């Protein structure tokens, strides 16, 4: 059972996390570089620390949610407080390398380190279906159990502190691909006078239907087996993709979002993958 929890960082996400902890009746201390952001949380029962060193000293478990890793290091370095014997749960977005580096530093300082990736936006925090990915120290995970449960569901990805960030970034990569395609699609329609709202139902149904192909694509990628029962070969897709680019150009729309996929399709055909399924293009992503 966690006794004393401090939150460092009260931006949109840090505040949502602290609110969820308060809603779960956890006893929390909060600190933010701009102190006024602590006021709504104090009104809800949190204790505000006047400086980051005091905030850390007050805690067994320090939950960090700041803009980026340089700000995390800036705050921890400036705090001047000992981390020995404390547990750190860092939910700041970063790379696997940054997470591993901070974990090594924290361990050298005598702290247990758990890294996390928040797969949600602030209004989703506190709902049971909200997913927080974690990896790193198993002991830290046990210490953080209560506070993580107040945020939603968490999935522990093992002892490598870089893995939560790695999965987080892989999921964000897939998300941005989807949003980029959606933005281009709405622009195509809008150029012909059709509102984005008129597209929502169709695009949701289409993306739902298409995501059903992901398990088979995963099988193909893992087995390097792209040529059996191909329903949508890459040569056909390359020919059709030209129309998508041309329709944007005809409407004087940027094609910046969609050209990279065309380049990959063209390379797939040029390297003899024209008869393969989509998963085959995964082999073209490594640079060497
Ligand atoms: N909001 C979201 O949708 C996403 C969802 C997934 C996870 N991300 C990550 O969460 C981290 C924090 O994001 P945020 O939404 O809370 O971001 P902001 O509202 O912009 O707040 C930023 C906080 O960081 C503090 N800060 C920035 N630089 C420094 C610094 N050099 N020293 C000390 N603190 C710093 C900032 O303080 P202040 O401006 O209020 O004084 C805020 O507390 C982030 O990694 C997302 O990728 C959110």
């Amino acid at each position: 059972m966690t006794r004393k929890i401090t939150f460092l960082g009260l931006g949109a996400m840090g505040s949502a996390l602290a609110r969820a902890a308060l809603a779960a009746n956890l006893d929390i201390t909060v600190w933010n570089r701009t102190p006024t952001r602590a006021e709504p949380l104090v009104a809800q029962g949190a204790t505000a620390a006047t400086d980051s060193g005091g905030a850390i000293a007050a805690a067994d478990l320090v939950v960090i949610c700041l803009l980026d890793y340089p700000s995390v290091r800036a705050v921890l370095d400036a705090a001047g407080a000992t981390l020995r014997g404390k547990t750190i749960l860092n939910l700041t977005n970063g790379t696997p390398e940054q997470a591993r580096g901070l974990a090594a530093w924290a361990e050298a300082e005598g702290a247990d380190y758990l890294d996390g990736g928040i797969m949600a936006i602030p209004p989703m925090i506190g709902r049971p279906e909200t997913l927080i990915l974690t990896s790193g120290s198993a002991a830290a995970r046990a210490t953080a159990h209560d506070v993580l449960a107040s945020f939603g569901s968490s999935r522990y990805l093992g002892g490598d502190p870089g893995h939560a960030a790695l999965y987080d970034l892989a999921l964000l990569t897939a998300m941005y691909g989807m949003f980029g395609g959606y933005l281009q699609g709405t622009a195509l329609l809008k150029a012909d006078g059709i509102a984005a709202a008129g597209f929502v139902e169709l695009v949701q149904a289409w993306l739902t239907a298409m995501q059903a192909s992901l398990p088979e694509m995963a099988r193909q990628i893992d087995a390097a087996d792209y040529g059996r029962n191909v329903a949508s070969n890459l040569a056909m897709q390359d020919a059709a993709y030209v129309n998508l680019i041309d329709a944007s150009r005809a409407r004087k729309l940027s094609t910046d979002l969609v050209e990279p996929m065309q380049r990959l399709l063209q390379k797939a055909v040029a390297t003899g993958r024209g008869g393969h399924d989509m998963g085959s293009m995964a082999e073209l992503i490594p640079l060497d």
Side-chain angles (χ1 to χ4, degrees):
M1 168 68 80
T2 301
R3 297 284 175 223
K4 297 180 198 157
I5 309 168
T6 277
F7 284 77
L8 301 180
L10 302 173
M13 183 53 83
S15 292
L17 297 171
R19 273 196 303 277
L22 286 171
N25 292 317
L26 296 173
D27 184 7
I28 66 167
T29 296
V30 294
W31 175 85
N32 193 61
R33 178 180 62 177
T34 306
T36 49
R37 292 184 103 161
E39 288 167 7
L41 292 157
V42 170
Q44 291 167 61
T47 302
T50 48
D51 57 80
S52 55
I56 292 170
D60 306 312
L61 169 62
V62 181
V63 180
I64 305 175
C65 189
L66 294 165
L67 181 64
D68 53 16
Y69 272 70
S71 57
V72 173
R73 281 307 300 265
V75 168
L76 293 178
D77 288 344
T82 180
L83 290 168
R84 184 155 301 281
K86 301 198 185 289
T87 298
I88 296 174
L89 169 59
N90 179 31
L91 298 170
T92 303
N93 185 273
T95 65
E97 290 71 29
Q98 286 175 318
R100 289 176 188 137
L102 190 63
W105 177 83
E107 279 157 26
E109 296 286 314
D112 261 350
Y113 183 89
L114 187 67
D115 202 82
I118 304 171
M119 305 321 302
I121 58 173
M124 294 162 66
I125 299 300
R127 297 187 200 156
E129 70 275 15
T130 291
L131 177 64
I132 314 285
L133 303 173
T134 64
S135 69
S137 158
R141 181 199 177 211
T143 303
H145 176 267
D146 290 352
V147 77
L148 283 167
S150 77
F151 303 153
S153 302
S154 63
R155 187 179 300 191
Y156 179 63
L157 298 168
D160 182 338
H163 276 178
L166 185 65
Y167 276 82
D168 183 343
L169 295 181
L171 288 167
L172 290 179
T173 300
M175 179 194 81
Y176 279 113
M178 177 187 75
F179 284 148
Y182 174 73
L183 291 173
Q184 190 77 27
T186 59
L188 261 179
L189 291 170
K190 254 186 135 58
D192 278 17
I194 300 164
F199 186 40
V200 172
E201 185 193 338
L202 281 171
V203 73
Q204 283 188 317
W206 174 242
L207 291 177
T208 301
M210 286 298 97
Q211 65 83 22
S213 64
L214 297 182
E216 168 58 14
M217 205 182 294
R219 187 202 64 76
Q220 292 180 8
I221 292 168
D222 287 343
D225 173 20
Y226 315 108
R228 275 191 286 153
N229 305 318
V230 176
S232 307
N233 71 73
L234 291 175
M236 173 281 292
Q237 295 202 50
D238 182 38
Y241 205 92
V242 173
N243 300 327
L244 176 162
I245 298 269
D246 285 351
S248 279
R249 289 200 176 124
R251 286 160 181 76
K252 300 202 177 330
L253 301 174
S254 162
T255 52
D256 287 353
L257 279 168
V258 283
E259 279 181 46
M261 182 61 98
Q262 183 180 44
R263 285 197 290 277
L264 214 57
L265 278 165
Q266 289 170 341
K267 191 171 175 187
V269 173
T271 55
R273 294 174 165 85
H276 288 180
D277 242 330
M278 181 72 111
S280 177
M281 292 204 297
E283 291 191 348
L284 300 175
I285 294 174
L287 290 174
D288 48 29

